[in-house]
Amino acid sequence: MAEAKHIEHGPLTGGQLVIGTIAVSLAVFMNVLDTSIANVSIPSISGDLGVSSDQGTWVITSFAAANAISVPLTGWLTQRIGQVKLFTWSIVLFVISSWMCGLSPTLGFLLASRVLQGAVAGPMIPLSQTLLLASYPRAKAPMALSLWAMTTLVAPVCGPILGGWISDNISWPWIFYVNIPVGILAAFASWWVFRTRESAKHHAPIDAIGLSLLIVWVGTLQVMLDKGKDLDWFSSTTIVALTLISVISFALFVIWELTEDHPVVDLSLFTRRNFTGGTIALSIGYGLYFGNLVLIPLWLQTTLAYTATKAGLVMAPVGLFAILLSPLTGKFLPKTDPRFIATASFLIFALVFWLRSLYTTNVDTYWLVMPTLLQGIGMAGFFIPLVSITLNGLPGNKIAAASGLSNFVRIMCGGIGSSIFTTAWDRRSTLHHAQLTEQANAYNPVFTQNMQMFQSHGDNSLGYLMFNNSVSQQAAMLGVNDLFWLSSAIFVALIALIWITKPERSTPDSAAAASAAH
């Protein structure tokens, strides 16, 4: 079957450009917000539905697994449905599934609704990039990416804050109901602006085997990552079985897709140096960012006795400089090599995590917030140049597939990062606890002095209890310091990946992503 001719659309202007940008940004914000808004509401959901907290975490797992499966299908679905129809229908179905989630009377109904919500959410982020890039003049493509990046970066931070506040002050169904007015507005505005800018459709045969293998390996991997910590990882036969199924089905998937005439996921994109280098650097960097985004509030709540809302507010300032500086990044990107901006961003991330590795249990709010503010500067130069490098030089009919595949790898790395960081923190904390406890002997004058003080008050057990609590707090602090230091080192090492790419200079004639979008 012959390839469909790519339809050319000129850039939008005036009010249509403004409304289109707002509509796409609202849809992305709503989508990304839902990846984290339910995390802090699990206790409320579990209690209301009469299930355990472990069962309640399937609310997160079900969404993540369905979302991870559907994201790489964006290119194939776009060929069959058209990017505007697919984007609009994704928003509409997201609204319906959000309404179903809020109305759920049982856990089973809620999980089914979350699976639907995650599945229809998949194409929204890749297509938002595609629609934005095609709506702006080529010279303004970096500005379009900067507007997109602001919503993608700020939403994960807002999710826990908004979710915690809604659960504490209203009720958990409203974490889903808030999507309804936003989604309706975004759907109507998107259809009104983009309905005449539909992409060409190409009804390629359905790659049923590739699709089945994708569902199996991604689904089992996502469940393994989300449940690994609860089941003690590879000491559990369930985790071992899920890992084997995922690895075998992934190997078969790669072999099949590379030899299939109409693959459901275009793995040939990885033959392009810019796509491979940009995608890997972006994905691993995002995995580190997201892993720490999960770890820091958890550490603040369990070790420093912060409330969920206060822990979220400590992380909130990260959005300040990200919002203020992202448009500047978009403005200067056409005039410079995007690798320089990405390198500066990674160095700032490395500095931020190194500063955090110096924390003690006496850290005050000022030193918690300052690195977070600095991180916002790095975030402003994180997504935009790397997405520009990744999409550099691609023909227009490959943009949706490339965006879907790179976002899929990024989302998977985010899930892997959160699983690795929470598990590694437990392991490092246990190790440090054992090492510190070795000092609790008669030859340690500090330990002996403390025990004598408590014995003089006639309470030996209280002394040992307080000593153990102090050791546990210090061990948790040392464990999180280890991970901060490791994150800093990895960000420095990732700079090498940025420089294996060779993007064209982002000029009006060869803007990396824009030239591919028109």
Side-chain angles (χ1 to χ4, degrees):
M1 189 178 290
E3 290 285 338
K5 184 179 178 181
H6 182 60
I7 298 175
E8 297 283 343
H9 293 293
L12 293 171
T13 57
Q16 279 197 325
L17 181 61
V18 173
I19 294 172
T21 301
I22 293 173
V24 169
S25 299
L26 282 175
V28 172
F29 186 86
M30 173 183 69
N31 183 321
V32 179
L33 188 75
D34 256 56
T35 62
S36 60
I37 195 171
N39 295 17
V40 295
S41 304
I42 294 302
S44 300
I45 296 172
S46 302
D48 196 35
L49 297 180
V51 298
S52 67
S53 293
D54 282 349
Q55 290 175 297
T57 58
W58 283 102
V59 173
I60 301 170
T61 305
S62 56
F63 178 90
N67 187 247
I69 291 168
S70 64
V71 168
L73 298 178
T74 301
W76 177 73
L77 289 171
T78 299
Q79 286 186 336
R80 297 184 67 86
I81 301 173
Q83 62 187 23
V84 177
K85 284 183 180 177
L86 179 59
F87 183 72
T88 307
W89 272 110
S90 292
I91 299 174
V92 171
L93 291 173
F94 192 88
V95 169
I96 294 172
S97 57
S98 297
W99 173 68
M100 291 168 58
C101 287
L103 291 177
S104 298
T106 64
L107 180 63
F109 192 92
L110 176 58
L111 295 182
S113 302
R114 284 287 278 176
V115 168
L116 175 61
Q117 189 185 41
V120 300
M124 287 167 61
I125 291 181
L127 287 178
S128 68
Q129 289 178 342
T130 307
L131 291 172
L132 268 183
L133 287 170
S135 300
Y136 279 73
R138 294 183 178 185
K140 298 290 186 182
M143 181 63 71
L145 285 174
S146 71
L147 296 169
W148 175 88
M150 283 191 291
T151 55
T152 308
L153 291 169
V154 174
V157 180
C158 295
I161 301 172
L162 183 60
W165 185 86
I166 290 174
S167 296
D168 291 342
N169 295 281
I170 311 177
S171 61
W172 68 262
W174 282 93
I175 66 175
F176 301 112
Y177 291 152
V178 293
N179 293 328
I180 296 175
V182 176
I184 291 173
L185 181 62
F188 274 108
S190 297
W191 182 249
W192 180 74
V193 172
F194 299 112
R195 67 186 185 280
T196 59
R197 302 170 63 82
E198 187 59 273
S199 60
K201 286 181 276 189
H202 171 53
H203 291 278
I206 297 174
D207 177 17
I209 294 178
L211 178 58
S212 300
L213 289 170
L214 175 71
I215 292 171
V216 172
W217 84 260
V218 173
T220 52
L221 176 63
Q222 192 68 49
V223 173
M224 185 269 286
L225 290 172
D226 286 359
K227 291 299 176 183
K229 185 172 178 291
D230 296 334
L231 299 177
D232 197 21
W233 291 103
F234 296 105
S235 62
S236 165
T237 54
T238 301
I239 295 299
V240 172
L242 287 171
T243 303
L244 288 174
I245 293 170
S246 182
V247 170
I248 293 170
S249 55
F250 172 71
L252 294 173
F253 170 79
V254 171
I255 295 169
W256 180 267
E257 292 300 278
L258 290 176
T259 56
E260 170 65 19
D261 292 333
H262 301 283
V264 72
V265 178
D266 188 3
L267 296 180
S268 67
L269 289 164
F270 282 109
T271 60
R272 295 175 176 267
R273 179 191 296 186
N274 290 343
F275 180 83
T276 301
T279 296
I280 295 175
L282 175 63
S283 300
I284 296 177
Y286 182 79
L288 291 170
Y289 162 71
F290 196 79
N292 278 280
L293 189 66
V294 172
L295 177 66
I296 293 173
L298 187 62
W299 162 63
L300 290 173
Q301 291 175 71
T302 58
T303 307
L304 301 188
Y306 276 56
T307 64
T309 304
K310 189 177 178 182
L313 289 174
V314 167
M315 298 301 296
V318 76
L320 179 62
F321 283 120
I323 291 172
L324 293 176
L325 297 181
S326 287
L328 290 178
T329 304
K331 181 179 179 181
F332 287 108
L333 188 62
K335 303 174 184 177
T336 187
D337 188 330
R339 293 176 296 183
F340 286 113
I341 299 177
T343 299
S345 170
F346 278 35
L347 287 174
I348 291 172
F349 270 104
L351 173 63
V352 166
F353 287 118
W354 177 76
L355 289 172
R356 286 174 174 161
S357 73
L358 304 177
Y359 282 165
T360 68
T361 53
N362 296 321
V363 64
D364 57 22
T365 304
Y366 174 81
W367 281 108
L368 287 171
V369 171
M370 280 306 296
T372 305
L373 280 170
L374 284 176
Q375 188 173 333
I377 300 174
M379 289 169 67
F382 180 62
F383 265 106
I384 307 164
L386 287 172
V387 170
S388 179
I389 290 170
T390 300
L391 303 183
N392 177 270
L394 290 169
N397 61 345
K398 293 280 189 180
I399 281 289
S403 182
L405 184 54
S406 64
N407 275 286
F408 163 70
V409 178
R410 177 180 63 81
I411 290 169
M412 289 301 297
C413 281
I416 292 170
S418 62
S419 295
I420 289 176
F421 270 72
T422 52
T423 300
W425 183 38
D426 279 349
R427 300 284 170 87
R428 295 300 296 177
S429 297
T430 302
L431 174 65
H432 285 297
H433 190 282
Q435 292 173 339
L436 291 172
T437 305
E438 290 174 1
Q439 305 302 314
N441 56 64
Y443 301 102
N444 187 323
V446 176
F447 174 74
T448 304
Q449 183 180 358
N450 277 277
M451 290 302 104
Q452 289 174 347
M453 180 182 67
F454 284 110
Q455 286 172 7
S456 66
H457 291 83
D459 196 342
N460 290 340
S461 60
L462 179 61
Y464 284 106
L465 178 62
M466 293 192 68
F467 173 79
N468 185 67
N469 288 341
S470 177
V471 168
S472 297
Q473 187 182 41
Q474 294 296 332
M477 184 74 259
L478 291 171
V480 87
N481 284 347
D482 291 343
L483 294 176
F484 288 147
W485 188 91
L486 182 63
S487 299
S488 177
I490 294 175
F491 264 111
V492 173
L494 283 176
I495 293 172
L497 274 175
I498 297 172
W499 288 92
I500 71 168
T501 65
K502 288 189 176 180
E504 301 171 12
R505 188 176 178 82
S506 296
T507 64
D509 295 322
S510 63
S515 62
H518 287 275

